[in-house]
Amino acid sequence: MLQFAIIAIQIIPSITVIIPAYNAEKYIQTSVQPVINQSLQNKEIIVVNDGSTDSTKSALRKLQITYPNLIVYNLEQNKGPLFVRQYGVQKSRGEYVFQLDADDSLRHQNVLQDLLAYTILKPDILHFQHQAVKYFPNNSTQEISWWGNAQVESANSSNMLSMLVHAKIHWLIHGKLIKRTIFAQAIEQINDIRHLIYGDDEVLCIAVFSIAQSYNGVPYIGYNFNQRQDSVTGQRNQSIQTLLKVIIDYFSTRDLVQKLLPPDLFDIRNRITKDYEVNLTQNEKLFDYHFLSLQNYLIHNNLKL
Ligand SMILES: *[C@@H]1O[C@H](CO)[C@@H](O)[C@H](O)[C@H]1NC(C)=O
Ligand SMILES: *[C@@H]1O[C@H](CO)[C@@H](O)[C@H](O)[C@H]1NC(C)=O
Ligand SMILES: *[C@@H]1O[C@H](CO)[C@@H](O)[C@H](O)[C@H]1NC(C)=O
Ligand SMILES: *[C@@H]1O[C@H](CO)[C@@H](O)[C@H](O)[C@H]1NC(C)=O
Ligand SMILES: *[C@@H]1O[C@H](CO)[C@@H](O)[C@H](O)[C@H]1NC(C)=O
Ligand SMILES: *[C@@H]1O[C@H](CO)[C@@H](O)[C@H](O)[C@H]1NC(C)=O
């Protein structure tokens, strides 16, 4: 009897879009549908439902009826954005990974196709542009100015982390195509802090930028960064010191001192306090404590300040 070997040819998707969703019933369709509708055929869409207590799960099931390729993971418990983004990366197969927030959207149906054209030189990171869109209570919208766009055309391993820290490159994790292999390596390094419930953008960007070798910023606007009054911006029920400690420990223990020097940490501190609109005067002692640990580390390892 003839045996036919069926060889399944695994086609690697060009892009995996990862959408973390927490209590996103209102907007999940307006973020997922435009991804489903993308003209790029060779894509993978992963939604990670982060233990939502509203009807996000059934909204996703409905979307799967019209688009069976939609991959959905329903987590039993709410784990927070850093965990969920990492989870999505671990499940993804695409050459590039792209994080889309559940209340944001792609601007038109050719965005992924267009972005792919920009990856011809295979940069580890391709950063494109956001358009901030303000939603009024009556659902009319207005495009408003936004300060987080790519200002740098290219960067390499010796300068991109510093550009990130010094705000030449914005540290939102969405709006960047990141090679899956790089992203996967980066999340490996921050496995022990995956339960941090905010600061996911900062932590992931620093981890990714400390590993990547090449960066391109392009003037292409593809991402609607939707500003709604009722947006769930995540619980910030963890102290800002926790975030700073995590970041500083990350630098201290991972031999990143050749790429970033301690003064850069003050910039990180200043940017985080600005991003989260917190006043650190009460907490600077704690910051200094960690800063001193880093200094000791440098001295111990004969590294110059
Ligand atoms: C997606 O495509 C469907 C069918 O082609 C169309 O009815 C729908 O309006 C599109 N939605 C979006 C958000 O582009
Ligand atoms: C919606 O609300 C905004 C802000 O209040 C207003 O400027 C706009 O004219 C309203 N649009 C409609 C269609 O009512
Ligand atoms: C605005 O849009 C949301 C989401 O689609 C909808 O739930 C809500 O009823 C709309 N509000 C108005 C005033 O039309
Ligand atoms: C990185 O880019 C800078 C600025 O363009 C350049 O001076 C430097 O030689 C590059 N470094 C590497 C390792 O390619
Ligand atoms: C943070 O969460 C804990 C336990 O859930 C709660 O007791 C505390 O009040 C919360 N703190 C803030 C600032 O929301
Ligand atoms: C932050 O602290 C400074 C110095 O104590 C104070 O002048 C300022 O009003 C504080 N700002 C806020 C937003 O609390």
Short mmCIF file of all heavy atoms in Angstrom, two decimals, residues 134-142 227 229:
data_model
loop_
_atom_site.label_atom_id
_atom_site.label_comp_id
_atom_site.label_asym_id
_atom_site.label_seq_id
_atom_site.Cartn_x
_atom_site.Cartn_y
_atom_site.Cartn_z
N LYS A 134 -8.87 62.28 19.11
CA LYS A 134 -9.69 62.54 20.29
C LYS A 134 -11.15 62.19 20.01
O LYS A 134 -11.70 62.58 18.98
CB LYS A 134 -9.55 64.02 20.66
CG LYS A 134 -10.33 64.39 21.89
CD LYS A 134 -10.03 65.80 22.34
CE LYS A 134 -10.95 66.12 23.51
NZ LYS A 134 -10.57 67.36 24.17
N TYR A 135 -11.74 61.44 20.90
CA TYR A 135 -13.16 61.09 20.79
C TYR A 135 -13.97 61.97 21.74
O TYR A 135 -13.67 62.02 22.93
CB TYR A 135 -13.39 59.61 21.14
CG TYR A 135 -13.13 58.69 19.99
CD1 TYR A 135 -11.83 58.43 19.55
CD2 TYR A 135 -14.20 58.09 19.31
CE1 TYR A 135 -11.60 57.59 18.48
CE2 TYR A 135 -13.96 57.24 18.23
CZ TYR A 135 -12.66 57.00 17.82
OH TYR A 135 -12.42 56.19 16.76
N PHE A 136 -14.98 62.62 21.20
CA PHE A 136 -15.89 63.38 22.06
C PHE A 136 -16.99 62.46 22.55
O PHE A 136 -17.23 61.40 21.96
CB PHE A 136 -16.48 64.56 21.27
CG PHE A 136 -15.44 65.59 20.90
CD1 PHE A 136 -14.97 65.68 19.60
CD2 PHE A 136 -14.94 66.46 21.85
CE1 PHE A 136 -14.00 66.62 19.26
CE2 PHE A 136 -13.97 67.40 21.53
CZ PHE A 136 -13.51 67.48 20.22
N PRO A 137 -17.70 62.86 23.62
CA PRO A 137 -18.77 61.99 24.14
C PRO A 137 -19.84 61.67 23.09
O PRO A 137 -20.48 60.63 23.16
CB PRO A 137 -19.36 62.81 25.30
CG PRO A 137 -18.26 63.72 25.71
CD PRO A 137 -17.49 64.04 24.47
N ASN A 138 -20.02 62.57 22.11
CA ASN A 138 -21.00 62.28 21.05
C ASN A 138 -20.41 61.42 19.93
O ASN A 138 -21.01 61.30 18.86
CB ASN A 138 -21.57 63.59 20.49
CG ASN A 138 -20.49 64.47 19.88
OD1 ASN A 138 -19.37 64.02 19.64
ND2 ASN A 138 -20.83 65.72 19.62
N ASN A 139 -19.24 60.88 20.15
CA ASN A 139 -18.53 60.01 19.20
C ASN A 139 -17.98 60.73 17.98
O ASN A 139 -17.54 60.06 17.05
CB ASN A 139 -19.40 58.81 18.76
CG ASN A 139 -19.44 57.73 19.82
OD1 ASN A 139 -18.64 57.73 20.76
ND2 ASN A 139 -20.37 56.82 19.67
N SER A 140 -18.04 62.03 17.93
CA SER A 140 -17.34 62.67 16.82
C SER A 140 -15.85 62.71 17.20
O SER A 140 -15.49 62.61 18.38
CB SER A 140 -17.90 64.06 16.54
OG SER A 140 -17.48 64.96 17.53
N THR A 141 -15.01 62.76 16.18
CA THR A 141 -13.57 62.64 16.44
C THR A 141 -12.81 63.83 15.89
O THR A 141 -13.28 64.53 14.99
CB THR A 141 -13.00 61.37 15.77
OG1 THR A 141 -13.24 61.45 14.36
CG2 THR A 141 -13.61 60.13 16.34
N GLN A 142 -11.64 64.04 16.44
CA GLN A 142 -10.78 65.10 15.95
C GLN A 142 -9.33 64.64 16.06
O GLN A 142 -8.92 64.08 17.08
CB GLN A 142 -10.99 66.35 16.83
CG GLN A 142 -10.26 67.56 16.32
CD GLN A 142 -10.30 68.72 17.34
OE1 GLN A 142 -10.97 68.64 18.38
NE2 GLN A 142 -9.58 69.76 17.04
N GLN A 227 -7.85 58.60 21.94
CA GLN A 227 -7.95 59.19 23.28
C GLN A 227 -9.42 59.31 23.64
O GLN A 227 -10.12 60.15 23.11
CB GLN A 227 -7.33 60.60 23.28
CG GLN A 227 -6.09 60.75 22.43
CD GLN A 227 -4.83 60.36 23.17
OE1 GLN A 227 -4.54 60.90 24.22
NE2 GLN A 227 -4.11 59.39 22.63
N GLN A 229 -12.43 59.32 26.75
CA GLN A 229 -12.52 59.74 28.14
C GLN A 229 -12.62 58.55 29.10
O GLN A 229 -12.18 58.63 30.22
CB GLN A 229 -13.69 60.70 28.32
CG GLN A 229 -13.24 62.09 27.91
CD GLN A 229 -14.38 63.03 27.66
OE1 GLN A 229 -15.54 62.61 27.54
NE2 GLN A 229 -14.08 64.31 27.58
#
